[in-house]
Amino acid sequence: MSDKTMSGVKDKVIAITGASSGIGEATAVRLAKLGAKLVLGARSTDRLKDIVTSIESRGGMAVYARTDVTSRDDLSNLIQLACERYGKLDVLINNAGIGPISPLDELRVEDWEATIDVNTKGVLYGIGAALPVFREQNFGHFVNIASTAGLKTVANQAVYSGSKFAVRAISEGLRQEVGNHIRVTIISPGVVQTNFIDGIPNQEVKDQLASVRDGLGLPPDAVAHAIAFAIEQSADVDINEIVIRPTAQI
């Protein structure tokens, strides 16, 4: 019997933010192979279009919409697209994130604000858009992507780390509030081989993290596999948190 037949992912309607690259793209590709119906959101519609075309060429089902997670309307529209196209929403993966990491002394206040707006408020806006749908359906699953930076703070990452600590706190509070029929999972990846560092303005910090990433970073599909594992559990099993990091990461 195939993966697709065995999987609890098959025929689930799954929306993903930040789906145009990295963990989001890898997750879309993996879940499509397992038979999910995907609703992909990101700011880069050209990339989304290519990903959807690739998924459809392999017999999968996917649609996309331009989604900036700092816009409540964009997230509402993404959830509405899922319900209109497929009649329900099983899972929302709040994946979009940025990391313009720098020492606090540089006073990059606009970067601080953007980090909170995308990484923390973006998750809240996703919850705000999907929770009423999940309540009405009496089922649903939030998968919120945090980070090992939400478990341990290090120099130069104070604001980014704070944004991810917040995601973990919000997710745990949500889990306690939603009751018996809505699941909440936190995925906390360590170093992953993505273009995450491209947004780092401090060249010294950027070079440091690039060296670590290139030396030991996980492929994005490893994180996608962990996400799929959480989703495919039966409805009475809630995988609350998965921490996934390279074996060599301290």
Side-chain angles (χ1 to χ4, degrees):
M1 195 172 287
S2 71
D3 266 356
K4 187 171 173 181
T5 305
M6 292 291 291
S7 173
V9 171
K10 187 177 187 303
D11 292 329
K12 285 186 175 176
V13 177
I14 302 175
I16 308 172
T17 66
S20 62
S21 63
I23 292 170
E25 178 182 2
T27 302
V29 170
R30 174 166 284 277
L31 294 177
K33 289 177 181 176
L34 294 172
K37 301 172 183 176
L38 298 171
V39 184
L40 306 181
R43 290 177 294 184
S44 176
T45 52
D46 288 344
R47 284 290 303 135
L48 289 177
K49 182 178 179 181
D50 289 345
I51 293 165
V52 166
T53 298
S54 176
I55 287 171
E56 290 179 335
S57 72
R58 292 170 171 79
M61 299 178 68
V63 294
Y64 71 90
R66 185 185 186 280
T67 306
D68 180 342
V69 297
T70 67
S71 165
R72 292 180 64 187
D73 287 343
D74 279 10
L75 278 162
S76 293
N77 291 339
L78 187 72
I79 300 309
Q80 185 177 359
L81 175 61
C83 295
E84 289 177 351
R85 185 62 60 94
Y86 299 121
K88 63 172 182 171
L89 177 68
D90 292 283
V91 184
L92 171 61
I93 303 174
N94 283 308
N95 167 72
I98 60 171
I101 293 163
S102 63
L104 289 170
D105 274 323
E106 292 186 357
L107 299 178
R108 294 182 179 273
V109 177
E110 290 184 359
D111 286 348
W112 301 350
E113 291 174 342
T115 299
I116 299 301
D117 286 346
V118 173
N119 295 0
T120 305
K121 290 170 67 176
V123 170
L124 283 168
Y125 290 166
I127 292 168
L131 186 55
V133 173
F134 289 167
R135 288 292 194 197
E136 184 176 355
Q137 294 176 162
N138 206 31
F139 65 86
H141 189 177
F142 291 101
V143 179
N144 297 333
I145 308 303
S147 169
T148 54
L151 299 163
K152 175 185 177 183
T153 306
V154 297
N156 303 320
Q157 296 188 28
V159 177
Y160 176 73
S161 184
S163 75
K164 294 300 188 177
F165 267 87
V167 169
R168 293 183 65 247
I170 291 162
S171 300
E172 173 57 14
L174 177 66
R175 184 191 69 81
Q176 293 182 32
E177 291 183 23
V178 291
N180 300 336
H181 303 292
I182 298 173
R183 301 190 293 174
V184 181
T185 299
I186 307 163
I187 305 287
S188 294
V191 180
V192 183
Q193 295 172 6
T194 70
N195 61 359
F196 173 81
I197 66 166
D198 291 353
I200 296 175
N202 183 294
Q203 192 60 49
E204 182 181 354
V205 173
K206 187 174 185 176
D207 290 345
Q208 266 181 352
L209 291 178
S211 177
V212 173
R213 178 199 65 184
D214 296 344
L216 56 79
L218 293 170
D221 184 62
V223 184
H225 185 80
I227 293 169
F229 172 77
I231 292 171
E232 69 188 1
Q233 303 304 309
S234 62
D236 60 343
V237 176
D238 192 357
I239 302 295
N240 301 143
E241 183 163 14
I242 295 175
V243 179
I244 175 170
R245 54 166 67 91
T247 305
Q249 183 178 338
I250 297 173

